[in-house]
């Protein structure tokens, strides 16, 4: 409704959701509503991803053809 989205598995069961954060990032939650991580805008574009303890887990950036590339840390 306000820029968030739900995540579903291949069988259509809800496994989590993401909601916008206060400073432009996204907060990620599991199906029970527990925060499991967040994504924040990167300095050079894209997004940096962190687990619930604040440890960096990866990075996403747009590719040449407009698709998104996801990398683990």
């Amino acid at each position: 409704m306000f820029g968030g989205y739900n995540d579903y598995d291949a069988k259509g069961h809800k496994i989590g959701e993401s909601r916008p954060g206060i400073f432009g990032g996204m907060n990620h939650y599991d199906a029970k509503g527990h925060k499991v991580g967040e994504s924040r805008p990167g300095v050079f574009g894209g997004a940096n991803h962190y687990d619930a303890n604040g440890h960096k887990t990866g990075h996403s950036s747009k590719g040449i053809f407009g698709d998104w590339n996801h990398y683990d840390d």
Side-chain angles (χ1 to χ4, degrees):
M1 184 164 142
F2 296 101
Y5 55 89
N6 295 322
D7 300 310
Y8 299 90
D9 66 13
K11 295 182 179 181
H13 300 113
K14 184 177 176 182
I15 57 172
E17 64 183 81
S18 297
R19 296 182 228 141
I22 296 172
F23 300 108
M26 293 291 281
N27 294 314
H28 308 293
Y29 301 89
D30 64 15
K32 294 182 180 181
H34 300 113
K35 186 174 179 180
V36 295
E38 63 184 79
S39 299
R40 300 181 211 144
V43 176
F44 300 106
N48 293 313
H49 309 291
Y50 301 88
D51 64 16
N53 296 317
H55 300 111
K56 187 175 179 182
T57 59
H59 176 81
S60 299
S61 60
K62 273 197 172 184
I64 295 172
F65 300 107
D67 54 344
W68 282 89
N69 297 312
H70 305 283
Y71 305 93
D72 64 5
D73 200 41

